[in-house]
Amino acid sequence: MVETGGGRLHQRRGAVAFVAANKALLAAAWVVGFALVFLWQSASMSFGSAGAGGAAGGGFLRLLSAPPPPPRPAPRLRPTAYNLTDFGAVGDGRAVNTEAFERAVETIAALAERGGGQLNVPPGRWLTAPFNLTSHMTLFLAEGAEILGITDEKYWPLMPALPSYGYGRERKGPRFGSLIHGQNLKDVVITGHNGSINGQGEVWWMKHRRRILNNTRPPLVQLMWSKDIIIANITLRNSPFWHLHPYDCTNVTVSNVTILSPVSGAPNTDGIDPDSSQDVLIENCYISVGDDAIAIKSGWDQYGIAYGRPSSNISIRNVNARSLVSAGISIGSEMSGGVANVTVENVRIWESRRGVRIKTATGRGGYIRNISYRNITFDNVRAGIVIKVDYNEHADDGYDRTAFPDITSISFKGIHGRGVRVPVRAHGSDVIPIRDISFQDMSVGISYKKKHIFQCSYVEGRVVRPVFPKPCENLDIYDEQGQLVKRAVALNSTELDYDI
């Protein structure tokens, strides 16, 4: 009996020692066991377990091996909807689907009197040459859908130069048409579950650098002389040239759009360029590209003056923009038809050469007026605010040397940031002065300690405190109550400390 009791005591001590030596292992085993019980119970609830323990076990196995959920179905936004595959398309990234897109658009065009139609592009890589849209059409890109522009330029049609430019923007003569195009349309929607349109621009950028293209490169999406346009919830990437170009359009909304291209080595890949367009809203967009993120235009020199169609009533808000080689938000330089009534608010511009810029020159003519910037944040930007009137790039030598643009009523309020080398560089000239410019509530942390970091010449306007850094003396200074503190001193030196 004593031996037996001693044996039991020895066994108990051995068990205690085992537990003490393997606490981590036992804890892990307990966690795994608890998780397995939880999953088994979940599977039983999902697949049924009453009187069917085997079925519950089968449900557990099905749960572990379940395939990923199917893609979200496309909502029906038109009375009639089609899938691109209905027209024989193959989304393998190799088959060319131009005919499928064309047949789909032709089918939808026949439905114009019945509310139009919707073309759903399912997940896949859909290679195509350029194609046209039609009125009363919705192009819907599913999650995982990517429309790819074919890289061989022989498949890209040539089109006449834009009438307000006179020539192709880069080469005289015809220009390449856009991948997705439309003219004289009404009620067009391009949207989706963040599917993408990819111009595969690398080949075009290389040919441009080597100067082996005979015509101006194509935009990615261009709609001309059209109205009631919505572009939302998609991604545009790697355009050969400008990404989105509404030309002489009315009532355009661009919302929740991501636009991406390399920030260097992708020349002239502007994000969104409203051109001679009215009633435009750009909101909730993320843009990181190889040129201006957004550039408002209205024609080039004498051709833009003759065309006479301004860009006006434009709102840009809630945008994140990056442009390592150019500017976050630009006006010009092609602005010969005029630019007016523009509001830019709640915009963050980061890691860019310039924050917001107005650029023009003698010969442009036209006007830039009633432009308001509010609540703008600069984050590591070389120059925050730039106004430049010697951007001497012309369509040809026939421009009018007496066509001086008028720059009036430009306001900046709530301008903040950090890591900015030059907060303001506003240089007019004796023939193109900058009138009625104002700065209010401005505080920009600077990264450059040179004397002239708030540069002005041929500028008339005012500063309403607080404004940091110290503004140039060309501007009247007012306190927070609107009382004049100091009159401006006309200092019109155009000394530059460095290239902006």
Side-chain angles (χ1 to χ4, degrees):
M1 296 294 294
V2 173
E3 291 181 358
T4 302
R8 290 176 181 171
L9 179 62
H10 179 73
Q11 290 173 356
R12 286 196 298 270
R13 287 176 177 172
V16 171
F18 176 81
V19 170
N22 296 276
K23 286 183 178 179
L25 179 63
L26 291 172
W30 184 88
V31 170
V32 170
F34 179 83
L36 290 172
V37 170
F38 176 79
L39 287 172
W40 178 81
Q41 289 178 336
S42 299
S44 299
M45 294 176 64
S46 301
F47 299 108
S49 60
F60 174 62
L61 294 175
R62 287 194 297 271
L63 181 65
L64 292 178
S65 61
R72 287 181 289 172
R76 176 165 293 192
L77 306 174
R78 300 281 182 179
T80 305
Y82 301 95
N83 288 324
L84 185 60
T85 52
D86 296 338
F87 301 91
V90 178
D92 61 2
R94 297 186 301 273
V96 179
N97 297 291
T98 313
E99 291 185 6
F101 277 107
E102 290 175 341
R103 287 198 299 270
V105 172
E106 183 180 0
T107 300
I108 290 172
L111 303 174
E113 299 299 323
R114 289 175 278 169
Q118 176 172 326
L119 177 60
N120 296 323
V121 181
R125 305 179 76 238
W126 309 92
L127 184 66
T128 181
F131 63 93
N132 293 319
L133 302 180
T134 189
S135 293
H136 310 292
M137 175 178 179
T138 295
L139 178 64
F140 191 95
L141 304 176
E143 183 179 4
E146 184 175 39
I147 296 176
L148 296 171
I150 198 166
T151 56
D152 190 339
E153 68 181 79
K154 73 181 181 183
Y155 290 99
W156 294 70
L158 291 175
M159 302 181 64
L162 297 169
S164 60
Y165 285 75
Y167 295 94
R169 185 61 182 79
E170 298 178 306
R171 299 284 187 274
K172 292 183 178 181
R175 60 194 175 90
F176 287 107
S178 59
L179 178 63
I180 297 179
H181 192 79
Q183 296 185 17
N184 301 300
L185 304 183
K186 179 180 180 181
D187 179 25
V188 173
V189 178
I190 304 175
T191 188
H193 289 148
N194 202 31
S196 62
I197 303 171
N198 187 341
Q200 303 200 102
E202 296 85 352
V203 172
W204 296 92
W205 308 333
M206 177 271 293
K207 289 182 177 180
H208 173 73
R209 286 192 296 268
R210 295 182 181 178
R211 299 183 178 276
I212 58 177
L213 288 171
N214 296 320
N215 304 93
T216 298
R217 288 170 288 155
L220 189 61
V221 179
Q222 183 181 61
L223 299 174
M224 304 173 60
W225 304 302
S226 299
K227 62 181 180 179
D228 304 334
I229 309 299
I230 297 175
I231 300 174
N233 304 314
I234 61 169
T235 295
L236 307 177
R237 65 174 73 242
N238 296 335
S239 176
F241 195 53
W242 302 341
H243 279 83
L244 176 57
H245 186 211
Y247 179 82
D248 201 347
C249 290
T250 303
N251 193 22
V252 177
T253 297
V254 183
S255 182
N256 290 300
V257 171
T258 299
I259 304 179
L260 303 171
S261 68
V263 294
S264 63
N268 310 109
T269 50
D270 295 18
I272 306 171
D273 287 3
D275 198 338
S276 294
S277 292
Q278 293 79 45
D279 303 323
V280 177
L281 171 62
I282 301 170
E283 64 176 0
N284 305 322
C285 293
Y286 179 99
I287 306 172
S288 177
V289 289
D291 208 304
D292 293 324
I294 298 173
I296 301 172
K297 303 176 181 292
S298 65
W300 201 9
D301 288 350
Q302 70 271 31
Y303 304 104
I305 294 171
Y307 192 72
R309 185 73 166 166
S311 280
S312 61
N313 302 330
I314 295 175
S315 177
I316 300 168
R317 65 194 186 198
N318 306 327
V319 169
N320 280 280
R322 182 189 187 198
S323 174
L324 193 64
V325 301
S326 197
I329 311 292
S330 282
I331 296 176
S333 73
E334 309 93 325
M335 41 61 63
S336 300
V339 176
N341 304 329
V342 176
T343 299
V344 181
E345 58 186 340
N346 303 329
V347 169
R348 175 179 175 261
I349 300 166
W350 87 103
E351 294 180 11
S352 296
R353 185 175 179 86
R354 305 169 190 90
V356 297
R357 176 167 64 161
I358 295 172
K359 48 184 176 176
T360 185
T362 295
R364 293 291 193 268
Y367 53 84
I368 299 172
R369 62 172 70 120
N370 299 329
I371 314 296
S372 174
Y373 300 89
R374 299 195 296 260
N375 192 22
I376 310 298
T377 300
F378 302 132
D379 191 352
N380 293 323
V381 172
R382 182 180 174 93
I385 296 167
V386 177
I387 303 178
K388 180 181 177 68
V389 301
D390 59 350
Y391 202 86
N392 292 312
E393 183 182 4
H394 300 282
D396 55 38
D397 199 45
Y399 69 92
D400 183 354
R401 271 71 173 173
T402 65
F404 304 122
D406 176 54
I407 305 175
T408 307
S409 188
I410 316 294
S411 69
F412 299 90
K413 183 177 181 180
I415 310 298
H416 303 284
R418 64 182 181 89
V420 178
R421 185 172 181 177
V422 181
V424 176
R425 179 178 179 254
H427 284 287
S429 70
D430 56 343
V431 293
I432 312 175
I434 303 166
R435 298 187 177 93
D436 190 21
I437 188 172
S438 66
F439 299 89
Q440 182 176 358
D441 181 22
M442 177 173 174
S443 177
V444 176
I446 56 177
S447 63
Y448 195 67
K449 306 303 180 183
K450 234 167 175 158
K451 180 179 179 181
H452 302 295
I453 56 175
F454 199 123
Q455 302 178 5
C456 304
S457 62
Y458 298 98
V459 169
E460 301 173 6
R462 62 195 177 279
V463 167
V464 180
R465 291 175 174 171
V467 168
F468 178 85
K470 181 182 177 181
C472 57
E473 296 187 42
N474 302 60
L475 304 169
D476 294 332
I477 308 296
Y478 289 82
D479 63 20
E480 293 89 333
Q481 287 72 43
Q483 299 297 313
L484 179 65
V485 174
K486 182 181 178 182
R487 284 287 183 192
V489 177
L491 299 175
N492 292 321
S493 169
T494 56
E495 173 191 357
L496 297 180
D497 295 324
Y498 31 76
D499 176 38
I500 298 298

